[in-house]
């Protein structure tokens, strides 16, 4: 115990008299100055919607896709409906999630191969996840009417990183 006490007294006297000293660590080290910034994940980028539209998909003779805006979609095989969202001042990849809610289960569900797609046990809600290149800040998704699709009120919610960015409510109506 005496040796420990003597060591403590000697060490404290050296610190007071300046025998043991060190230079302060510089706040800017070479490592910090040469560090490269990490790419900002989608969740940290500011996401602002500048335009959101829903309706029937129309493709002209040149292959350009336009949306005929409507909330009433005729139940006619081959009709395609969906959404397009323009993100303000955004470029790069976007990870989005679409939740489609139907009034009752369709006879069949189908998507393009390779999609991250799931549905609820009752068959009335689907979830599609996609990472999409958006060089001009545009993301979109469309569905095609097939036999057995239900008429009635539908709802699509679009999320980016668990943040709801747009909701579209529409109705599939029977063709007379």
């Amino acid at each position: 115990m005496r040796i420990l006490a003597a060591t403590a007294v000697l060490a404290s006297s050296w610190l007071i008299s300046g025998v043991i000293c060190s230079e302060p660590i510089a706040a800017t080290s070479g490592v910090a100055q040469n560090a490269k910034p990490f790419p900002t994940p989608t969740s940290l980028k500011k996401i602002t919607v500048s335009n959101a539209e829903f309706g029937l998909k129309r493709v002209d003779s040149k292959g350009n896709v336009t949306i005929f805006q409507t909330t009433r979609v005729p139940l006619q095989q081959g009709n395609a409906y969906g959404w397009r969202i323009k993100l303000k001042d955004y470029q790069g990849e976007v990870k989005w999630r679409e939740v489609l809610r139907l009034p009752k289960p369709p006879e069949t569900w189908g998507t393009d191969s390779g999609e991250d797609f799931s549905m609820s046990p009752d068959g009335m809600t689907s979830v599609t996840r996609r990472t999409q290149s958006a060089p001009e800040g545009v993301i979109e998704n469309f569905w095609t009417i097939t036999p057995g699709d239900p008429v009635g009120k539908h709802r699509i919610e679009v999320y980016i990183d668990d943040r709801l960015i747009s909701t579209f409510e529409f109705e599939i109506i029977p063709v007379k």
Side-chain angles (χ1 to χ4, degrees):
M1 185 68 168
R2 250 186 233 177
I3 296 174
L4 183 60
T7 304
V9 170
L10 282 175
S12 62
S13 66
W14 289 339
L15 286 171
I16 293 169
S17 65
V19 173
I20 298 177
C21 66
S22 67
E23 292 188 27
I25 299 173
T28 57
S29 68
V31 174
Q33 291 173 352
N34 297 327
K36 294 181 182 177
F38 289 102
T40 305
T42 306
S43 61
L44 297 179
K45 292 180 183 178
K46 183 179 179 186
I47 303 290
T48 304
V49 174
S50 65
N51 188 41
E53 56 185 343
F54 174 87
L56 291 170
K57 178 181 180 181
R58 298 289 186 234
V59 182
D60 68 16
S61 60
K62 295 178 183 176
N64 297 320
V65 175
T66 58
I67 295 179
F68 174 74
Q69 292 189 36
T70 182
T71 58
R72 296 173 54 89
V73 177
L75 181 66
Q76 185 173 5
Q77 186 172 342
N79 268 352
Y81 62 89
W83 52 268
R84 179 182 290 153
I85 298 171
K86 170 81 170 126
L87 305 173
K88 184 178 179 183
D89 300 325
Y90 190 94
Q91 293 184 356
E93 284 193 337
V94 178
K95 291 181 181 181
W96 56 260
R97 173 173 47 102
E98 174 198 76
V99 178
L100 170 59
R101 299 180 201 285
L102 309 177
K104 67 179 191 175
E107 287 181 17
T108 61
W109 276 105
T111 64
D112 295 336
S113 61
E115 296 223 302
D116 185 352
F117 174 82
S118 61
M119 73 177 154
S120 63
D122 66 5
M124 292 175 31
T125 303
S126 73
V127 177
T128 303
R129 297 179 198 292
R130 188 179 297 160
T131 299
Q132 183 176 351
S133 176
E136 295 178 23
V138 177
I139 57 175
E140 61 185 22
N141 194 41
F142 296 95
W143 291 89
T144 303
I145 301 277
T146 58
D149 283 356
V151 296
K153 295 184 180 196
H154 292 55
R155 179 184 176 108
I156 291 177
E157 297 169 347
V158 181
Y159 296 83
I160 294 179
D161 294 321
D162 293 326
R163 185 177 142 224
L164 178 64
I165 61 165
S166 286
T167 300
F168 306 99
E169 293 186 357
F170 60 100
E171 187 174 5
I172 303 290
I173 58 171
V175 178
K176 295 179 182 180

